[in-house]
Every structure is written in structure tokens, then in C-alpha cells.
Amino acid sequence: MDNRNSNRIINDDLNINNRSTRMPVIICMEILDTATMRNFDIAYRRIESYILNHEELKYEVQLAKIFFGAESFVEQELSDMDKQSENDESNRPEYSSSPVLGDCLIDAIKQIKIMECKQSAIGLSNHKPNIILFASGNYKNDETMLLAMSKVKKIKRANEISIIPFVSTYSDNFEKGQKVFNEISTVGQAFKFDEYGDADISGVFDVLCKSMERMSASSNNAYESLIAASPVEIEDFKK
């Protein structure tokens, strides 16, 4: 019997129908122009659809979505795919030329730590958490940002989290943002993202989907990063 299936037992006391090992995936998106936000949402739906149609991942992935601009806003807390709710886009933060990226990263880490504590208390475990970041090269460089970067670098060095950042080539501060995001990227670089290029978005999520598939294909590699792209795929994004 598949161990995953054998672990999916109903526990009425805890009201949990899924006892599978969880894989937290947090999508962090900067509030930008309308065209970019439309593409961000399309990308999010593609990830969501892929997971829901994957025989194993739909039982394991917990998804969250955080937007940041003038402030950081957790639109969707980490939850199982079958518990995702419709969100009110009117609650999203306003655009800012100095978005609070630090607050967003702190909120993402909090989401992961809170969920890990809850699951540990009831005997559930996690694959390595993943943060997927879509941002311009702009950010508010304050104490919160410095604290967030320090925390992210620490847990990345400890191999406790996977972070894949995509930086907008349309941003005036693209090079500045890329340099910062290279430091926190699991693969050592921030991928380029053209917010007006549907083809580029398609390529981005083809890589993510393939990586999720590889992760679930072998129990020996279950802890590997969601975005452990092959060298060939990484080179494709450098072009």
C-alpha cells in the first residue's frame, strides 16, 4: 500500500482528513501595474491548477499568498489545497515606489513557523518550505528589511528553506534588485521576469511544475527544493 494513502486517516478529534507530510509553498507578489498583476494572478492560478491535478501534490502542498506594496498583506494563509477560499482583491495593499519587501519576507517566515508548530503538536511533518518571490528591483531599505534579509540568509544557509526570486527587467532598479535577490536565491541567482511577456511567464512555471514533479517522484529526494531547476533550465533563464 502507498504510504501516503495509509497516512491519510480521518482524525475526528483534530478534524484533519489528511495526515500526509506537508509542503508549504508561499507566493510573494509585489503590487505593480495592472498588466503585471494580471500576469501574476494567471501564474498563481497555473500553480494552483497544476497542484490540484497532481495525484500526490494535491494532498501535500499547503499554499499561501502574500502581496506587498505600501504594506504587506497576507491574502491567503497557509492551508491545504481543499481549504483555499476566494479572496477579496480590494484588500490588497496600495502600490509603493518603496515596497515593504522586508515585511513580506517576515510574514512569509511567520506563516511557515506557525504552521510547523501547529503540525508538530499533532504529529505532522513538513518537506522543506518554499518561498517564490515576484518583485521589482525596488524595496524599502529599513531595519525590517535588514532583519528579514539576515533571517532569510540564515535559514537558507542551514538548508531549511528554498527561495526562488524573480526580478522584473522592466524596473528602473533591476540591477540593484537582482544583486540583492541573488544573495537569497537557493540557486544563487534571481531569474529575470518580463512582466509584459506571456512566453516568459510560461517558461517560469514550466520549470516550477517540472521541479515539483521531480520532488514528488522519489521519496529519497522529498526534502529537495521545489525549484531545484537543472543547470540547463537555469541557463535558459540567464538569456
Side-chain angles (χ1 to χ4, degrees):
M1 178 183 294
D2 186 345
N3 289 331
R4 299 173 191 273
N5 291 326
S6 65
N7 285 333
R8 293 172 196 145
I9 61 176
I10 296 177
N11 189 319
D12 292 330
D13 294 333
L14 297 175
N15 193 29
I16 292 176
N17 298 322
N18 177 7
R19 302 289 297 182
S20 299
T21 298
R22 300 300 204 271
M23 185 172 75
V25 177
I26 299 183
I27 314 290
C28 295
M29 301 182 186
E30 181 180 339
I31 295 292
L32 292 168
D33 56 89
T34 301
T36 305
M37 295 311 301
R38 182 174 62 248
N39 286 340
F40 279 177
D41 280 328
I42 291 172
Y44 174 80
R45 295 302 177 190
R46 288 193 62 188
I47 290 181
E48 185 179 56
S49 176
Y50 178 80
I51 293 171
L52 287 172
N53 286 288
H54 195 288
E55 186 59 32
E56 295 176 348
L57 290 176
K58 65 182 178 182
Y59 294 112
E60 299 189 349
V61 168
Q62 287 184 316
L63 205 59
K65 185 162 55 172
I66 303 177
F67 287 92
F68 65 100
E71 60 182 349
S72 176
F73 176 70
V74 181
E75 184 174 86
Q76 175 68 59
E77 295 184 349
L78 271 176
S79 59
D80 293 347
M81 298 302 297
D82 61 350
K83 297 178 182 177
Q84 297 280 308
S85 59
E86 292 295 326
N87 300 302
D88 183 3
E89 295 185 7
S90 64
N91 290 326
R92 293 179 179 177
E94 295 180 357
Y95 165 81
S96 172
S97 58
S98 297
V100 290
L101 173 59
D103 294 60
C104 178
L105 292 174
I106 293 294
D107 282 342
I109 294 171
K110 285 181 179 178
Q111 282 282 307
I112 292 169
K113 295 303 180 183
I114 290 172
M115 186 57 65
E116 286 180 345
C117 288
K118 288 181 178 179
Q119 292 174 349
S120 176
I122 56 177
L124 294 180
S125 58
N126 286 284
H127 295 312
K128 185 190 295 184
N130 305 272
I131 296 176
I132 303 173
L133 171 65
F134 289 92
S136 69
N138 304 317
Y139 57 89
K140 187 176 182 181
N141 192 8
D142 57 7
E143 290 186 5
T144 302
M145 179 63 177
L146 295 175
L147 175 63
M149 292 296 288
S150 176
K151 286 181 176 291
V152 166
K153 290 177 183 178
K154 182 178 179 180
I155 56 181
K156 190 193 76 154
R157 284 195 299 269
N159 201 31
E160 295 176 353
I161 196 169
S162 292
I163 301 177
I164 189 69
F166 294 94
V167 60
S168 169
T169 58
Y170 192 74
S171 168
D172 293 335
N173 292 317
F174 165 72
E175 292 184 359
K176 178 182 176 181
Q178 187 175 40
K179 182 177 179 180
V180 171
F181 300 148
N182 284 348
E183 297 178 7
I184 63 175
S185 173
T186 298
V187 295
Q189 71 173 70
F191 294 134
K192 298 177 182 179
F193 181 80
D194 180 352
E195 61 257 46
Y196 296 109
D198 292 335
D200 291 338
I201 294 174
S202 177
V204 165
F205 288 96
D206 283 344
V207 170
L208 294 180
C209 291
K210 291 176 184 176
S211 300
M212 283 190 287
E213 205 161 49
R214 280 201 295 273
M215 179 176 182
S216 64
S218 170
S219 59
N220 292 328
N221 294 322
Y223 60 88
E224 290 295 333
S225 164
L226 167 67
I227 29 49
S230 72
V232 173
E233 290 165 338
I234 291 174
E235 287 300 321
D236 285 343
F237 277 101
K238 290 181 179 179
K239 299 176 181 179

